[in-house]
Amino acid sequence: MTLFLIGYMASGKTTLGRALGRTTGYQFIDLDFYITQRYRKSIPEIFAEMGEEEFRRIESEMLREVGEFCDVIISCGGGTPCFHSNMEFMNSHGVTLLLDASTECTIRRLKEAKTRRPILEKVAEEELPAFIESHKLEREPFYSQAQLRMDSEQLESAEQIKSTVDRVCKMLRMRE
């Protein structure tokens, strides 16, 4: 089975994906990391040097590559579902699980991560809540195509992560 984890930035896709991979024995692939390894540049560098349009083309190409692997969990970038018919591809090649966190939780996680996302480069801190709400609304038509949806706020502690992994494994009948 191929599981695509989608959702807004800081929704817990990588956290859940890594933990699911450890529990199930499935290979875990963070799509952004896969791209940075292939292109030997960070995502912000790719954005700066090539622009968002070229990044989205690369992202789509890499998604199609890893989406053909077997027994894999793929953590997608927040914008991945919104370009180049990626949702249609993911829905036809595996299971799509949307992770959903509140704006407050998203902001807290972004601040804790201390790494600036390219899409937030020009957004002032006081503008973050309105920006995130508006951005999520723009992406909702794509996110709503996910086959499954789950609240992802319970991915903070080791105990919460384990409980969420157990829930997902049960829901998808995934176990080693």
Side-chain angles (χ1 to χ4, degrees), residues 56 60 63-64 79-93 142 145:
R56 296 301 179 187
S60 183
L63 174 68
R64 280 156 176 72
T80 305
C82 310
F83 299 90
H84 301 286
S85 303
N86 288 340
M87 271 312 293
E88 289 85 353
F89 172 81
M90 291 186 284
N91 279 329
S92 68
H93 283 76
F142 300 96
Q145 295 173 47

Side-chain angles (χ1 to χ4, degrees), residues 36 39-51 55 118:
T36 62
Y39 283 81
R40 300 189 191 290
K41 294 177 191 290
S42 69
I43 300 301
E45 286 172 333
I46 295 171
F47 260 76
E49 292 173 21
M50 302 179 189
F55 169 75

Side-chain angles (χ1 to χ4, degrees), residues 10 106-117 120-121:
T106 301
I107 291 170
R108 189 180 76 257
R109 288 176 179 171
L110 287 169
K111 284 179 182 174
E112 287 170 4
K114 290 186 175 74
T115 52
R116 203 71 169 147
R117 312 280 177 125
L120 297 176
E121 206 58 32

